[in-house]
Amino acid sequence: MLTISAIPGDIAASDADAIVVSLFDGTTSLSGGTEIVDKALHGAISELIAEKEITGKHGEITMIHTLGKLPTKRVIILGLGKREKLSANVVRQVSGSLGRYLKRIGAKRAATLAHGAGIGGLDAGTAAQAIAEGITLGAYAFVQYKSKKDDQPGNALEVLEIIEQDTGRMPSLKAGVVKGALLSEAVSIARGLVNEPANVMNPIKMAEIASEIATSAGLGITMLRREDMVEHGMGAMLAVTQGSANEPRLIIMEYKGDLDHPDNNIALVGKGITFDSGGISIKPSGGMWEMKGDMAGGASVIGAMHAIAKLKPKINVWGVVPAVENMPSGTAQRPGDIIRAMNGKTIEVDNTDAEGRLVLADAICYVKEKMGAKRVVDIATLTGAIVVALGHVTTGVFGTSQSMVDAVLAASKVSGEKMWQLPMFEEYRRQNRSEYADVKNTGGRPAGSIAAAFFISEFTGGVEWAHLDIAGTFMAERTQGHEVKGATGVPTRTLIELVEQLAAS
Ligand code: BES
Ligand code: MN
Ligand code: ZN
């Protein structure tokens, strides 16, 4: 476990295993803590800059052994990139690389400057939060199934001190550290759930973990079982689960932050398909393993609820996860089946692989009709088409409420999790028309992600609704900055920020 703190003082006096200073790309005259450390090293940093050994380019890491010139054994110089391009996200990214570097050299205790808060011009709290998030998330590893000792987190960083001379900045630095540590915890929860294989992370296991988190954080928790789904007429969710040997759960975590105003609420609904084989419309086997992460939306909701419980915003929040496995079997639903969702609408199941929208349909009907949700944001690894449109960089945002969409986009600007709105022009709606039922669960190849959003919108009448398609962003193909190959935990931090912003407005 990493403990991060902000303490007043002079970084050059620190006897940590390593101290971390930084500089911008193209800097020739040093300032602040970096200058002080350079002086103590008799100008070693300036000399390396003059020799172009150190450039300050984004993510550059240079280590100098102090050989007795300072109480610490090592000085690390971190490149922040061009000064005019500095942002919280840059600090988060370079801190991610730093986190892995500190782990590699076996540093247990490190001290760092609040990169970006000095001449970088970032607010001290923002900088501290970004450092805490970057270092923690960049050093994240999913290793519990690795037997060898060197894969285990034995040599992980244990203490990180953000050292600042200006005592006036301490309160915001401290607040930033606390928030950054909490958000990292939330993201790590989400990543862990996604990285777990589907033989472990089935709907019941997901429900158990949500329940443990709820209990320890003081949240309410309710679970709907198959019988309850039958009672509520959740034919869409039941149709998806009917091919699986694993029992489904509708998980509902409840945070009450504004008891006097029950309508001041939001439901975060995360797709929780613990494995998506495609069902009878089975997927090709290559890359199918990735579908163990088809519950990434649900995972981000569970992670976010953990943090929301501790941040205590003045708003009521439900975290809702329809947890279901999509499998082919003799009891599975078939293409052509017609099913009835909780709101009475009939659905022609053209393709059993378009299962996410089916479970979301019933979950959204439930939060509207049974819980009185006024605002709904759903998060889902919904379509391969969003990967074609936006690649692995950007989450697609949709919605029938522009103010909800705007709120999501504003939150994503703060979190640094990239998002972009796609249109919901009425002309697309007809793609989901069915010959035999009220609506069909596929909309053809053109604009597949928009058609999917339109399908969900058949079940969101009467609430302010936004939808996030994270099929391109839930997994990282490579380790870079604060992201580690595997689950990203996106959009956990955006959800937390969104709830805080809504509570404050
Ligand atoms: N879970 C998948 C979407 C997905 C694809 C997520 C790639 C992550 C990475 C979803 O359930 C799905 O299979 N969607 C189909 C819908 C189609 C049958 C209309 C798709 O996108 O191919
Ligand atoms: Mn599918
Ligand atoms: Zn799916």
Side-chain angles (χ1 to χ4, degrees):
M1 257 301 276
L2 171 61
T3 310
I4 310 175
S5 58
I7 54 176
D10 173 9
I11 196 165
S14 169
D15 65 352
D17 297 333
I19 66 172
V20 186
V21 299
S22 55
L23 82 162
F24 289 111
D25 194 346
T27 303
T28 45
S29 71
L30 299 174
S31 65
T34 308
E35 186 185 10
I36 296 167
V37 171
D38 184 46
K39 290 231 167 83
L41 291 173
H42 309 314
I45 300 177
S46 316
E47 204 173 312
L48 290 170
I49 293 171
E51 288 165 7
K52 306 238 167 7
E53 281 268 333
I54 301 179
T55 64
K57 73 168 195 281
H58 181 108
E60 177 188 75
I61 293 175
T62 313
M63 197 240 282
I64 298 179
H65 289 283
T66 60
L67 305 174
K69 293 194 192 76
L70 282 171
T72 184
K73 284 207 162 110
R74 309 176 185 99
V75 171
I76 293 167
I77 303 112
L78 186 60
L80 297 179
K82 294 267 184 244
R83 184 170 161 183
E84 59 275 17
K85 285 202 172 159
L86 186 82
S87 64
N89 214 31
V90 167
V91 174
R92 194 181 292 110
Q93 280 175 357
V94 300
S95 300
S97 309
L98 174 66
R100 281 187 297 283
Y101 185 79
L102 290 170
K103 195 165 150 185
R104 200 154 61 235
I105 65 172
K108 293 247 186 274
R109 191 176 138 231
T112 181
L113 297 173
H115 312 294
I119 55 166
L122 289 182
D123 161 73
T126 305
Q129 185 183 333
I131 291 168
E133 289 174 6
I135 296 231
T136 313
L137 296 174
Y140 170 91
F142 183 73
V143 288
Q144 62 252 46
Y145 297 104
K146 289 278 201 181
S147 310
K148 275 199 294 183
K149 264 266 183 303
D150 49 336
D151 289 320
Q152 299 306 317
N155 50 354
L157 185 68
E158 285 166 9
V159 176
L160 177 72
E161 291 156 352
I162 299 180
I163 301 191
E164 170 64 44
Q165 275 189 312
D166 180 352
T167 51
R169 283 187 178 152
M170 290 317 292
S172 51
L173 283 174
K174 282 186 192 295
V177 162
V178 170
K179 189 162 182 197
L182 181 60
L183 266 59
S184 306
E185 242 172 63
V187 174
S188 301
I189 288 172
R191 286 183 182 179
L193 290 166
V194 173
N195 283 330
E196 278 291 347
N199 61 324
V200 175
M201 195 50 62
N202 56 41
I204 289 180
K205 179 74 176 183
M206 219 179 158
E208 277 170 12
I209 292 181
S211 177
E212 280 165 21
I213 289 172
T215 308
S216 71
L219 298 169
I221 179 97
T222 318
M223 305 284 175
L224 267 60
R225 293 159 185 261
R226 187 188 295 264
E227 316 77 273
D228 306 308
M229 296 172 193
V230 171
E231 196 182 305
H232 291 299
M234 299 173 147
M237 202 138 101
L238 287 164
V240 177
T241 193
Q242 78 188 35
S244 170
N246 283 306
E247 283 296 301
R249 289 286 185 271
L250 180 64
I251 305 166
I252 302 161
M253 302 167 89
E254 184 172 43
Y255 165 74
K256 286 271 166 230
D258 193 1
L259 284 166
D260 295 339
H261 306 97
D263 281 355
N264 177 23
N265 68 39
I266 183 167
L268 306 174
V269 181
K271 173 176 171 180
I273 299 294
T274 58
F275 189 74
D276 181 14
S277 68
I280 295 296
S281 313
I282 198 161
K283 288 179 181 295
S285 55
M288 200 203 271
W289 67 272
E290 269 197 38
M291 289 300 109
K292 70 175 184 173
D294 207 23
M295 29 57 77
S300 72
V301 168
I302 293 172
M305 291 304 287
H306 167 82
I308 290 165
K310 306 211 165 156
L311 289 165
K312 307 217 178 307
K314 196 168 162 18
I315 182 171
N316 304 305
V317 188
W318 292 289
V320 179
V321 184
V324 181
E325 189 181 47
N326 187 26
M327 296 294 264
S329 77
T331 60
Q333 66 170 335
R334 295 142 290 246
D337 282 6
I338 296 177
I339 59 180
R340 192 182 292 276
M342 185 175 168
N343 68 351
K345 283 197 184 176
T346 56
I347 304 165
E348 178 190 356
V349 181
D350 175 49
N351 189 317
T352 64
D353 198 9
E355 83 299 336
R357 62 198 81 182
L358 297 178
V359 300
L360 289 172
D362 274 337
I364 291 171
C365 289
Y366 186 85
V367 300
K368 263 171 42 180
E369 293 175 27
K370 301 292 170 192
M371 285 151 44
K374 298 291 174 217
R375 291 176 285 210
V376 173
V377 174
D378 81 73
I379 307 95
T381 44
L382 204 64
T383 65
I386 201 70
V387 188
V388 177
L390 300 175
H392 296 291
V393 176
T394 309
T395 294
V397 184
F398 307 77
T400 45
S401 157
Q402 192 57 41
S403 65
M404 271 315 296
V405 169
D406 288 342
V408 169
L409 294 174
S412 91
K413 291 224 168 68
V414 175
S415 71
E417 296 175 325
K418 292 184 174 59
M419 301 198 181
W420 200 262
Q421 182 178 12
L422 277 84
M424 287 195 71
F425 297 127
E426 269 304 314
E427 285 85 343
Y428 292 107
R429 184 187 296 277
R430 57 183 302 280
Q431 289 183 219
N432 295 321
R433 272 190 206 156
S434 163
E435 197 76 25
Y436 308 107
D438 297 333
V439 66
K440 193 172 66 175
N441 79 332
T442 58
R445 267 177 61 82
S449 308
I450 301 177
F454 263 101
F455 179 91
I456 299 172
S457 79
E458 297 286 337
F459 305 88
T460 61
V463 294
E464 286 192 60
W465 167 70
H467 155 64
L468 277 60
D469 194 336
I470 58 167
T473 50
F474 78 113
M475 281 264 222
E477 291 171 309
R478 60 201 171 107
T479 297
Q480 190 190 27
H482 65 285
E483 288 192 347
V484 174
K485 189 172 165 47
T488 58
V490 167
T492 307
R493 288 184 297 107
T494 302
L495 296 178
I496 299 163
E497 185 62 37
L498 170 70
V499 165
E500 282 202 298
Q501 288 193 5
L502 291 174
S505 67

